[in-house]
Amino acid sequence: MKQILTIVITLLYVSAIHSQNVAVSSPDGLLTVHITVENGKSEYSVKYKNKQILENSPLGLITNEGDFSAGLTYVEHKLGEVDKHYTQDKIKRSEIHYKANTLTCTFQNAKQRKVSVVFQVSNNDIAFRYELPAWRDRRACVIEKEATGFRFPAFTTAFLSYMMGPMGGFARTTPSYESGYQADVPVSETNSRTGYVFPGLFKIGNDGWALLSETGVSSLYCASHLSAWKDGVYTVEYPNPAQNNGFGSSGAQIGLPGTTPWRTITVGETLKPIVETTVTFDVVDPLYKPSIDYKYGRSTWSWIVWQDNSMNWDDQVKYIDLASKMGYEYILIDALWDTNIGYERMEELIKYAHSKNVDVFLWYNSNGSVNDAPQGPRNRMDRPIARKEEMKWLKKVGVKGLKVDFFGGDKQETMRIYEDILSDANDYGLMVIFHGATLPRGWERMYPNHVGSEAVLASEMLIFSQDVRNNEAFYSTLHPFIRNAVGCMEFGGVFLNKYLVKSNKERNRRLTTDAFQLATGILYQNAVQMFALTPNNLEDAPAFAIDFMKKIPTTWDETLYVDGYPGKYAVVARRHGNTWYVAGVNAQKETVTLKLSLPMFAGQKITVYNDNKDKETYMDSAGVGKNGDISVSIQPNGGFVLTN
């Protein structure tokens, strides 16, 4: 295949002198990217198995040192290969072998300044970025805008989540990546004036699927998002200038030579490559070494159901005891602990947790100057001197991690705060979870102590919104194919209360079954997961559900797509060590019966968690034939888990 590919590229190079058209294909030859220059503009297109996934789509940058989106001429191209093995203990699989063919195309603008676009094409994934050299004595520039776009065939439908407007929502903390979805709608109807967040999923009729995202965003760049569909194209947009109360540039200031983050496109005939992709991590590397051997696991937290009033000594003791009885590694003590419990008594509470073999995460407000979020501790994480002082105390009293909240933006200024928090926390042996935050863009690999991000319409909105409770199953069938496909997702779920209030009666009735809730514990992947169990669940929830939650893992060695359609139903398999879990949920109004091929269970006796026709959850056992085929029915708003 390598020889064939070389011949193809060589022939294209000969013709490129005239037509300026080059191409690169995946190692298996099924996924191909074509790059052209015509009328001074560079474009690319994508085919998978000879079917058009992206039509000619624009490339280019606009900088304060020149326009690299027009007036371009082709200079040269280079071919290469990437072949690397790596291990990663907090993503959807632990052992990864990444192979890709690379193509670097270099262009120059009217000022004779050069820019390159680098494509890495593996069997189902494309990653590309821009590389800018130093231009004579010029060693710095500002990237003001990208021309990069994605032109899908007109019959494509989209699954997209709205970019929230700046300085809105609770205490002017948006955007926080916590909005709903347009699902399976014609691209022509995706016209949100604020655009759409990464990742975005697209169905190209009967020809395949594509997932768009970005990765490798650090303090050296801003994060970006998708524009609304306009003139047949989605373009890469930089943050709204009004974010961060208008402070900070909406572009990116970089040193030269420098690079942009990677834009990624995952392509498949089915959703299998979408669910199983690791491209977000394949093209990045760790930015520093872990200072200690971080331990992942499960956590309790009182705030999700018992809310602000639970931030007191007695209720936190109850949740420490719950974590101890469940065998969980952690408790998260959420907002307002600094005033309601205080630093001095917190040291005593941490000692009590340690006596119960439970470690502690503490909540922090990310800022004191960007928005109006009043909860404390404030003014500790956004300022380097205060942050290091706080982290020194946290290490001294034995805290293991932080949950940092209320960021509200994608500017380079905010990316620096994320990285500063992570880097300083690693110096003190602290793990970090982000809430009210942006999408993690390769961060699980880039930052060894990053152990979770929300960036989704998560469990708290099930408490606050009847509409979100009504659509819980709908959103759950989207996440494995979109949000959780590209990064960890600290959802904070698995409710076993029938009513999502402390009294467990009368208000906020849960509309999904217990089996559905257990299934989401498998469907949602995050190395440290705060589960929404309450102390009363030890008595009022089914004993088998509690036993299941005592054993549930949060790290995985393998993840496989089984079946599903986003917005309708989803079935995913995950392996932890030698134990497989297959989980599914159903958002449709009718029961769905599936014939599943599960070779990992072939010839075995397995445990089944499912719902009967009255939506009562039960546990049973079943034998699986030697061919691994099994039939499963999922009730509306219901779910199932199979495990060996």
Side-chain angles (χ1 to χ4, degrees), residues 314-558:
D314 291 343
D315 283 347
Q316 294 312 302
V317 166
K318 291 175 184 176
Y319 271 81
I320 290 169
D321 291 344
L322 174 62
S324 179
K325 291 173 183 176
M326 294 297 296
Y328 284 7
E329 292 80 5
Y330 300 106
I331 178 177
L332 164 64
I333 302 176
D334 218 287
L336 305 174
W337 63 264
D338 58 326
T339 53
N340 293 6
I341 297 174
Y343 278 76
E344 188 173 332
R345 292 205 76 198
M346 180 55 70
E347 293 191 26
E348 297 178 41
L349 190 59
I350 292 166
K351 288 178 182 177
Y352 177 76
H354 290 167
S355 75
K356 294 288 187 175
N357 201 31
V358 175
D359 280 312
V360 175
F361 272 68
L362 288 183
W363 184 97
Y364 280 85
N365 196 323
S366 72
N367 68 78
S369 60
V370 175
N371 57 53
D372 304 324
Q375 292 90 338
R378 298 175 77 243
N379 302 312
R380 309 304 292 171
M381 290 295 120
D382 63 326
R383 306 171 186 187
I385 295 173
R387 182 169 58 240
K388 291 176 182 179
E389 180 183 68
E390 193 79 5
M391 290 179 176
K392 183 178 180 180
W393 174 78
L394 289 166
K395 180 178 180 180
K396 179 174 75 76
V397 300
V399 169
K400 299 300 182 184
L402 312 178
K403 172 184 173 181
V404 190
D405 208 340
F406 298 135
F407 287 87
D410 280 344
K411 289 183 176 179
Q412 188 172 7
E413 283 287 324
T414 312
M415 298 302 112
R416 287 173 179 154
I417 293 175
Y418 283 116
E419 185 169 281
D420 288 347
I421 292 171
L422 286 161
S423 177
D424 285 352
N426 184 63
D427 290 344
Y428 292 92
L430 298 167
M431 294 177 282
V432 182
I433 287 173
F434 293 124
H435 269 229
T438 194
L439 177 76
R441 293 161 164 87
W443 294 357
E444 297 91 317
R445 181 153 177 78
M446 294 162 64
Y447 305 105
N449 56 325
H450 172 257
V451 295
S453 287
E454 185 186 30
V456 69
L457 198 62
S459 59
E460 63 193 40
M461 294 309 298
L462 292 165
I463 305 293
F464 299 145
S465 169
Q466 183 63 50
D467 179 70
V468 175
R469 287 193 293 277
N470 292 343
N471 288 288
E472 181 181 7
F474 168 71
Y475 291 128
S476 294
T477 64
L478 296 175
H479 298 326
F481 306 114
I482 308 174
R483 166 65 183 85
N484 214 181
V486 302
C488 64
M489 189 175 80
E490 207 294 285
F491 188 86
V494 185
F495 293 91
L496 293 179
N497 270 20
K498 299 299 182 185
Y499 295 84
L500 306 186
V501 290
K502 184 175 182 178
S503 64
N504 198 16
K505 60 184 180 181
E506 296 179 356
R507 291 190 300 113
N508 297 352
R509 182 169 69 90
R510 173 162 56 91
L511 303 179
T512 55
T513 68
D514 287 349
F516 175 99
Q517 293 294 321
L518 299 182
T520 62
I522 305 301
L523 285 178
Y524 302 161
Q525 180 265 320
N526 199 79
V528 176
Q529 193 72 273
M530 280 64 184
F531 290 119
L533 305 181
T534 56
N536 53 281
N537 293 152
L538 295 176
E539 283 76 40
D540 59 22
F544 62 78
I546 295 297
D547 288 342
F548 178 88
M549 291 305 298
K550 286 181 178 179
K551 300 173 185 176
I552 192 169
T554 61
T555 58
W556 304 103
D557 294 299
E558 195 171 353

Side-chain angles (χ1 to χ4, degrees), residues 231-251:
D231 298 328
V233 179
Y234 297 95
T235 55
V236 171
E237 285 193 341
Y238 289 170
N240 187 314
Q243 290 180 11
N244 283 13
N245 218 4
F247 181 77
S249 171
S250 63

Side-chain angles (χ1 to χ4, degrees), residues 144-159:
E144 298 173 343
K145 187 178 180 181
E146 281 194 39
T148 308
F150 308 90
R151 186 186 300 275
F152 289 98
F155 52 83
T156 300
T157 58
F159 301 76

Side-chain angles (χ1 to χ4, degrees), residues 86 100 105 400 404 411 439 487 564 570 581 597 615:
Y86 67 95
C105 282
K400 299 300 182 184
V404 190
K411 289 183 176 179
L439 177 76
Y581 294 81
S597 176
K615 297 188 179 180

Side-chain angles (χ1 to χ4, degrees), residues 33 101 116 130 174-175 178 182 186 197 246 274 278 389 405 462 479 493 515 618 620:
V33 179
N101 292 322
S116 297
Y130 301 95
T174 62
E178 297 176 56
Q182 287 182 264
V197 302
I274 306 294
T278 55
E389 180 183 68
D405 208 340
L462 292 165
H479 298 326
Y618 64 88
D620 202 351

